[in-house]
Amino acid sequence: MGPRGGRGLYVGRRAAALLAALLLGLLAALLALAALYGRCRQEAAPPPPPPSPAAPGPAAPPGPAAGGRSVRRLPRHLLPLHYDLELWPRVRPGQAGPFAFSGQVNITVRCRQDTEEAVLHSAGLRSRGPAVVRGPLPASGPAVEVAGLRQEEEGETAVLELRGRLRAGRRYVLQLGFQGRLEEDLDGLFLTRYTDQGRSSMLIASQLEPTYARTVYPCFDEPAMKATFNIRIIHDPSYVALSNMPAIDVSEMKDENGSLWTVTTFNTSLKMSTYLTAFVIGDFDYVTRTERGNEIRIWARKEAIRNGYVDYALNITGPIFSFLEDLLNVSYPLPKTDLVALPDFGAGAMENWGLMTFQESSLMYLPSDKFTSRKAMIAIIVSHELGHQWFGNLVTMSWWNDLWLNEGLASYFEYLGATFVEPKLSLDKIFYDHVVQPVLSEDNEIGVRSLSESEDKIKGSFSLMSLFDSITYNKGASITWMLSGFLTEKLFIRALTSYLKEFAFSNANQDDLWTHIQMVVDAQDEVQLPASVKQIMDSWTCQNGFPVLTLNLTTGTISQEQFFNKKNENSTDSYNNTWIIPVSWMRNGSSQPLIWLDKSSNVFPEMQVSESEYDWILLNVNLTGYYRVNYDELNLKRLARLLENDPKAIPAVSRCQLIDDAFALTQFGYMQIETALELTKYLAREDELFIWNAVLLNLVPENLEGTLKNYEVYPLLKKYLLKRMLPIYHYYAGFIRQNIDALEDDYFAQVYLEKLFATACWLGLQDCLDLSSELYAKWMDHPEYKIPFLIRRTVCCYGVAGGGEKEWNFAWEMYNHTDSPKEDKDILLSAMSCAKESWLLYRYLQYGLSDTLFSSNCTSVIILYVATKDIGHRIAWEFVTENWPLLSERYGKELLHDVLKDMGRFVNTDVQIQELQVFYNTTLEEDERVAATLLLEFTKSENMERRELLIRVANWLQKNVDD
């Protein structure tokens, strides 16, 4: 599956550790509200055109499904060889629900062990007609009488109880008719509604990963039980049917009522896993081109096709295919590839062989858009799914415990493919920023799993969807990046080619990959490793977390330990927290030969430095390794001085890494905050926006903007930061005012300029406030004018904040325009909470209660927006308490949990806790009151720790603000 962007709220690690069970419930509520937020719009508004360009977040994986599916392994008595599958969704255009589908599946199996029952997967399906077993082949007719068909709901299996015995070594055919409900839930075979050319339409599509194939047809629903498929779809004549292979016949038939249906028959598939089978039935149009004999078609709403919204996706898909074929030296084996832009799709994107499906915003690009970021997002997502055609489809992991062999490798190649078709993107910067840095911040929490789990852990009630996370995607890609780095790309690709050819149309585990890499390493003498590939890589994939390296320049000693919160020293694993670590390094700007740390510590004489302040060492250059670095005070002082005198002497990725590591080390107790702050003195000379973004996320976290102004640190931080921000701010403000088109190839400006400008305005920079008011006023005078999307959210917020009722009313008017894109509606929904007049915020909250002004989905979003503002949190709280009966009826306890979470950031005293308790003592059940009290107590404790930290920051700023 494709990555999804997303960032969570900051939760202190101490509270997270002690309140894990409580937070699971709160997170469920947050996820539910996040889903509501994504759909929040006026009920009457038609679906918007493709959204205007937005900055793609780091590749990130899809969120977990609500509730895990059963993971029952099937017995190995029967091995599927071939499916003849007929599907018949009983859907006509304009038909009212409920909807259903029926079908017939004939599965040719080889019996591997004598058995008196046939067990296969089936979930939520009802049998249709008697089950039959034919064989042994090639004999015709029923061979073994079926005594009964038993459905086991808990194990999601169907058991054919036989009156005879299937014999080992023989082939049989299992014949089952089935029927099921066609829901609008975006899993299995589902129905979705959309608007095209002003008319309401319906579409049927599928999403079968990881274990939803069994909800569509009875099957052997495990990745290693590969087979070939002949698929036939019966559908309404006005629809087109698509599946993994090209259609080879289209005919007609009549049902029992004499109604006409179309029958589309598809060519025999290659050998593949059940989760990769795919079906789309609807009234879409397409654009096409052929690349090396591969017919590529992009399907979408007719309106989108006519307007050229998928032309960019079409233009890059062929070249990425060719790039991957040439790089891997393995040809794409299918004759056609369909990419379908679905109006509503929960998985984001899915790599089904020959029929990839995407959320339509992931494929659509407005031809009039000149900016790179939207193209980059599409290129990254398309490249990810194309990478799966080799890693996942051609060679599939044997079981879900090695899912990273699919998703981690595809996440690595998505950036190679994207930078191939968009060469102005910087591969190392974008990979560090989108992949490595985000997962390093997550892969240190208590309870985070290892990249590769043991196979026996993935069974029973284990939720397979929990594996589709940042560990699988981003950590998998990060250790692949590291592996390619120390092997060299040439050897790495050679090993992958060998691996792909050996296991084509089959399955593999990570040891199989290590074996093929070892074969390539053994066949040459340029790259020497300190241990076997398996020993090295198992240290990264089979234990959780990652190391932090500590360097002592006086002795040249490097030591390693697991990076964890010093307050929670709990770690039990079979590796004794030791990794075999490749250490890239430079000395005084010159790259040095790679060294290895394969034990807890070692002395490297070449890393001892002289007394000269110009003698410095930098480890993990450009973050080639998956770890953090803790330097001694001597080296940090030299690096801080170097940054002030010649920042470009350190590569950009390493500068960002140095700062991000320092703040992470501070947060976890390895380093003093004052030491980390020393590394920020040079920032007036920093011109890389992705580095500024890392700095600002550490110094001005978005979830603390509403509270930092209450601390004495704010005026000092304002003076210190603005002095350093002015050069880069004015550089970009000049483009905003005079020639924004000049930024069309500046990817990081399109991704991160918003944060820079939002911080400048938050710090009260008058030019930023004036620019926001100026652009907002221009929009008010000329509603057809488009505020530059790079800073649209900031301009709208501060345009409303700097004005009064007139400015707020204009935002309200524009929000209610039916032709406003959904993204603009979301921006305006937030901007209206930026008002500085209390009565406007209260009126906004009152509007939120109205069924006629908003859909009910929006009410909770409005409350949370207002609650996060510095003057809004009290107003939001009073509003919730005054209107609780109505709000409780609509949302239950979930809304209160979220409001409490936001209010918690303002809790510093026992009196404030008591004030909140007075309210929820009358609204919550006893167990919920206890949980809420605990949450507030720990939040208060965190806030007090934060206050102490900010006092230290303020003291440091007091001494350094004028430097």
Side-chain angles (χ1 to χ4, degrees):
M1 273 186 278
R4 252 187 217 166
R7 294 182 183 267
L9 293 172
Y10 171 83
V11 179
R13 284 172 168 78
R14 176 179 290 182
L18 295 174
L19 291 173
L22 168 64
L23 290 182
L24 281 174
L26 296 182
L27 283 171
L30 278 171
L31 287 170
L33 282 169
L36 288 177
Y37 170 64
R39 296 193 298 271
C40 180
R41 60 176 183 265
Q42 289 175 288
E43 298 285 6
S52 54
R69 302 187 62 80
S70 168
V71 190
R72 174 178 171 180
R73 300 296 296 269
L74 295 177
R76 292 309 191 253
H77 302 151
L78 301 177
L79 179 69
L81 303 174
H82 178 76
Y83 291 76
D84 286 300
L85 173 62
E86 177 184 280
L87 274 182
W88 187 351
R90 309 293 180 119
V91 176
R92 299 287 196 184
Q95 174 187 344
F99 301 98
F101 65 92
S102 62
Q104 174 74 32
V105 65
N106 300 337
I107 311 173
T108 303
V109 298
R110 175 181 290 116
C111 184
R112 302 173 66 187
Q113 181 180 335
D114 286 8
T115 181
E116 294 180 347
E117 62 180 22
V119 184
L120 62 164
H121 285 114
S122 177
L125 298 172
R126 300 184 304 280
S127 61
R128 187 167 174 265
V132 176
V133 176
R134 288 196 298 107
L137 300 180
S140 59
V144 182
E145 184 180 350
V146 178
L149 175 61
R150 186 176 76 250
Q151 299 280 352
E152 296 185 353
E153 288 186 20
E154 186 175 346
E156 298 187 337
T157 55
V159 181
L160 280 70
E161 298 167 333
L162 309 176
R163 297 195 191 278
R165 184 179 292 268
L166 304 184
R167 298 295 181 181
R170 304 291 185 88
R171 289 182 298 131
Y172 299 86
V173 177
L174 313 181
Q175 299 181 334
L176 298 99
F178 57 90
Q179 55 189 357
R181 292 173 61 89
L182 193 58
E183 306 283 4
E184 299 184 43
D185 57 3
L186 307 183
D187 287 320
L189 190 68
F190 62 88
L191 183 140
T192 184
R193 303 172 191 272
Y194 64 98
T195 300
D196 191 7
Q197 300 175 325
R199 289 181 298 195
S200 179
S201 300
M202 294 188 295
L203 175 82
I204 301 157
S206 62
Q207 168 56 32
L208 305 188
E209 189 181 26
T211 56
Y212 290 103
R214 65 191 66 174
T215 70
V216 182
Y217 58 98
C219 58
F220 294 83
D221 199 12
E222 295 188 11
M225 290 187 158
K226 291 188 171 184
T228 55
F229 291 78
N230 280 344
I231 293 171
R232 189 169 86 142
I233 298 177
I234 303 172
H235 55 91
D236 184 87
S238 67
Y239 290 152
V240 172
L242 304 174
S243 189
N244 304 82
M245 299 299 289
I248 55 173
D249 182 68
V250 179
S251 59
E252 293 181 344
M253 63 166 274
K254 290 184 179 180
D255 61 20
E256 60 274 12
N257 299 318
S259 298
L260 194 66
W261 296 83
T262 294
V263 182
T264 301
T265 304
F266 300 91
N267 211 344
T268 305
S269 78
L270 301 175
K271 193 177 178 184
M272 63 183 184
S273 304
T274 49
Y275 78 85
L276 292 171
T277 55
F279 325 98
V280 174
I281 305 107
D283 186 22
F284 272 10
D285 204 352
Y286 68 91
V287 288
T288 185
R289 63 179 281 180
T290 299
E291 182 91 6
R292 296 183 178 177
N294 175 14
E295 182 188 11
I296 298 167
R297 298 182 297 184
I298 313 274
W299 297 79
R301 291 178 291 114
K302 294 177 179 179
E303 182 178 31
I305 295 291
R306 188 181 67 241
N307 291 331
Y309 293 159
V310 297
D311 289 355
Y312 175 74
L314 179 69
N315 291 336
I316 64 170
T317 299
I320 295 173
F321 257 126
S322 298
F323 167 75
L324 291 172
E325 280 188 323
D326 293 342
L327 182 66
L328 298 168
N329 194 26
V330 177
S331 297
Y332 177 66
L334 296 185
K336 70 93 177 176
T337 304
D338 289 315
L339 291 78
V340 184
L342 300 174
D344 199 6
F345 188 49
M350 180 63 204
E351 66 266 20
N352 315 299
W353 224 354
L355 180 56
M356 288 173 267
T357 46
F358 298 78
Q359 166 62 245
E360 68 173 19
S361 61
S362 300
L363 276 186
M364 292 192 181
Y365 175 78
L366 291 144
S368 59
D369 184 3
K370 299 178 181 178
F371 291 95
T372 305
S373 60
R374 186 70 182 175
K375 286 182 177 180
M377 186 196 76
I378 295 169
I380 287 169
I381 294 172
V382 169
S383 294
H384 181 96
E385 305 310 322
L386 295 184
H388 272 309
Q389 307 308 298
W390 287 266
F391 302 101
N393 297 6
L394 184 65
V395 178
T396 311
M397 75 273 147
S398 295
W399 185 239
W400 299 103
N401 62 308
D402 279 330
L403 179 61
W404 81 269
L405 292 175
N406 282 22
E407 300 297 352
L409 288 168
S411 295
Y412 170 80
F413 280 99
E414 75 185 54
Y415 289 93
L416 271 62
T419 52
F420 173 75
V421 292
E422 290 294 339
K424 292 180 181 178
L425 296 174
S426 168
L427 176 60
D428 59 343
K429 292 178 186 176
I430 197 172
F431 192 86
Y432 167 72
D433 184 78
H434 287 9
V435 180
V436 188
Q437 187 185 31
V439 74
L440 282 174
S441 69
E442 295 179 38
D443 191 20
N444 47 49
E445 300 282 2
I446 293 174
V448 171
R449 62 179 180 81
S450 59
L451 182 59
S452 179
E453 296 281 7
S454 61
E455 189 169 330
D456 60 3
K457 281 188 179 181
I458 318 298
K459 62 183 180 181
S461 61
F462 188 95
S463 172
L464 289 181
M465 288 305 296
S466 69
L467 294 173
F468 290 82
D469 62 2
S470 62
I471 299 299
T472 294
Y473 285 73
N474 289 354
K475 184 174 183 177
S478 298
I479 70 115
T480 303
W481 178 274
M482 178 176 69
L483 177 59
S484 176
F486 71 72
L487 284 176
T488 71
E489 186 180 51
K490 180 179 72 173
L491 292 184
F492 178 57
I493 295 298
R494 188 182 300 166
L496 287 181
T497 300
S498 172
Y499 164 82
L500 289 169
K501 290 181 176 179
E502 172 75 18
F503 297 101
F505 308 106
S506 185
N507 299 79
N509 57 41
Q510 72 170 17
D511 280 353
D512 295 318
L513 178 59
W514 305 155
T515 297
H516 280 263
I517 295 173
Q518 189 69 56
M519 288 164 50
V520 168
V521 170
D522 291 344
Q524 54 81 55
D525 53 15
E526 294 176 23
V527 175
Q528 300 297 319
L529 301 180
S532 71
V533 172
K534 176 175 170 57
Q535 286 176 305
I536 295 170
M537 295 311 298
D538 279 0
S539 76
W540 295 95
T541 63
C542 294
Q543 66 179 354
N544 64 318
F546 59 87
V548 54
L549 271 56
T550 299
L551 171 64
N552 184 315
L553 284 188
T554 304
T555 62
T557 301
I558 301 180
S559 59
Q560 63 162 297
E561 62 179 306
Q562 182 163 355
F563 184 68
F564 60 91
N565 194 327
K566 290 284 192 177
K567 301 168 187 173
N568 298 312
E569 296 196 29
N570 262 336
S571 181
T572 56
D573 58 65
S574 58
Y575 286 83
N576 268 336
N577 300 10
T578 301
W579 287 259
I580 303 177
I581 306 171
V583 183
S584 60
W585 65 295
M586 65 166 50
R587 182 168 190 162
N588 306 333
S590 298
S591 294
Q592 305 296 315
L594 183 77
I595 62 171
W596 288 85
L597 181 65
D598 57 0
K599 49 191 175 184
S600 58
S601 68
N602 203 0
V603 176
F604 299 92
E606 63 268 37
M607 288 197 183
Q608 293 176 332
V609 296
S610 68
E611 294 182 1
S612 167
E613 65 180 42
Y614 301 106
D615 197 4
W616 52 270
I617 300 283
L618 188 74
L619 302 187
N620 201 12
V621 181
N622 281 332
L623 206 75
T624 48
Y626 186 68
Y627 52 89
R628 294 194 186 277
V629 179
N630 183 19
Y631 297 102
D632 62 10
E633 188 174 347
L634 173 63
N635 199 49
L636 276 173
K637 283 184 178 178
R638 293 181 179 182
L639 290 173
R641 186 179 296 110
L642 176 67
L643 286 173
E644 291 187 70
N645 294 331
D646 184 15
K648 296 298 174 73
I650 298 176
V653 168
S654 290
R655 295 200 301 276
C656 193
Q657 170 199 355
L658 190 60
I659 292 170
D660 191 63
D661 279 0
F663 280 103
L665 290 163
T666 296
Q667 185 180 4
F668 274 43
Y670 292 82
M671 183 185 290
Q672 299 301 312
I673 184 63
E674 294 84 356
T675 305
L677 289 168
E678 288 290 333
L679 295 172
T680 68
K681 286 184 175 180
Y682 88 100
L683 284 170
R685 301 186 65 181
E686 183 54 74
D687 59 3
E688 291 278 5
L689 269 175
F690 81 101
I691 298 177
W692 266 105
N693 187 67
V695 170
L696 295 178
L697 287 176
N698 279 294
L699 289 180
V700 190
E702 291 178 7
N703 64 318
L704 293 182
E705 286 183 0
T707 54
L708 279 178
K709 286 188 176 181
N710 299 328
Y711 293 96
E712 60 185 323
V713 73
Y714 176 76
L716 296 167
L717 189 64
K718 173 180 178 177
K719 186 175 181 182
Y720 181 81
L721 270 181
L722 284 182
K723 180 179 179 181
R724 286 156 177 78
M725 286 176 68
L726 283 177
I728 194 168
Y729 168 83
H730 283 304
Y731 174 79
Y732 282 105
F735 287 113
I736 295 293
R737 284 191 165 101
Q738 296 168 18
N739 183 20
I740 195 167
D741 288 349
L743 299 178
E744 64 182 51
D745 291 325
D746 190 335
Y747 173 76
F748 284 114
Q750 295 158 51
V751 176
Y752 292 136
L753 194 57
E754 186 86 71
K755 176 64 176 175
L756 184 81
F757 271 67
T759 304
C761 285
W762 178 78
L763 290 169
L765 180 62
Q766 195 58 50
D767 187 76
C768 183
L769 298 173
D770 291 344
L771 179 59
S772 297
S773 296
E774 170 190 325
L775 295 179
Y776 192 81
K778 184 176 180 180
W779 188 32
M780 290 177 66
D781 292 338
H782 307 283
E784 70 281 0
Y785 167 72
K786 285 288 186 183
I787 297 170
F789 85 90
L790 286 72
I791 57 169
R792 190 174 297 160
R793 185 173 292 270
T794 299
V795 168
C796 288
C797 177
Y798 286 94
V800 169
E805 183 180 11
K806 179 182 176 184
E807 285 72 17
W808 194 97
N809 286 344
F810 178 76
W812 174 249
E813 178 187 346
M814 298 309 293
Y815 177 85
N816 284 286
H817 271 202
T818 56
D819 59 348
S820 294
K822 179 184 178 297
E823 185 182 11
D824 284 352
K825 285 182 177 290
D826 292 343
I827 288 172
L828 289 166
L829 203 68
S830 172
M832 288 184 282
S833 70
C834 297
K836 294 300 184 184
E837 297 184 42
S838 299
W839 72 271
L840 284 173
L841 291 178
Y842 192 80
R843 186 180 74 175
Y844 187 29
L845 291 166
Q846 289 288 353
Y847 282 3
L849 284 180
S850 170
D851 289 333
T852 58
L853 297 177
F854 288 103
S855 69
S856 60
N857 295 341
C858 290
T859 309
S860 59
V861 177
I862 292 169
I863 292 171
L864 293 175
Y865 269 143
V866 174
T868 56
K869 300 300 187 293
D870 50 357
I871 70 164
H873 71 279
R874 292 295 312 176
I875 297 168
W877 179 248
E878 289 171 5
F879 178 81
V880 168
T881 57
E882 290 170 6
N883 295 278
W884 181 248
L886 177 59
L887 293 170
S888 177
E889 183 181 338
R890 287 188 184 177
Y891 303 105
K893 303 297 190 296
E894 289 83 1
L895 175 64
L896 182 60
H897 286 159
D898 281 339
V899 174
L900 280 174
K901 198 174 184 67
D902 281 310
M903 290 298 297
R905 294 203 293 270
F906 299 89
V907 173
N908 293 298
T909 68
D910 292 333
V911 173
Q912 289 171 317
I913 289 180
Q914 289 167 8
E915 182 183 353
L916 294 176
Q917 283 179 321
V918 168
F919 171 70
Y920 64 65
N921 278 347
T922 62
T923 59
L924 298 179
E925 301 298 328
E926 183 176 354
D927 59 334
E928 293 174 315
R929 290 201 299 270
V930 171
T933 301
L934 277 173
L935 180 62
L936 289 175
E937 287 287 355
F938 280 106
T939 302
K940 173 195 166 187
S941 174
E942 282 201 323
N943 290 348
M944 296 305 291
E945 287 184 17
R946 185 184 301 118
R947 179 182 288 275
E948 293 172 10
L949 179 67
L950 291 177
I951 289 172
R952 291 174 58 188
V953 172
N955 290 337
W956 185 89
L957 289 172
Q958 191 77 53
K959 298 172 187 174
N960 294 276
V961 71
D962 294 320
D963 286 0

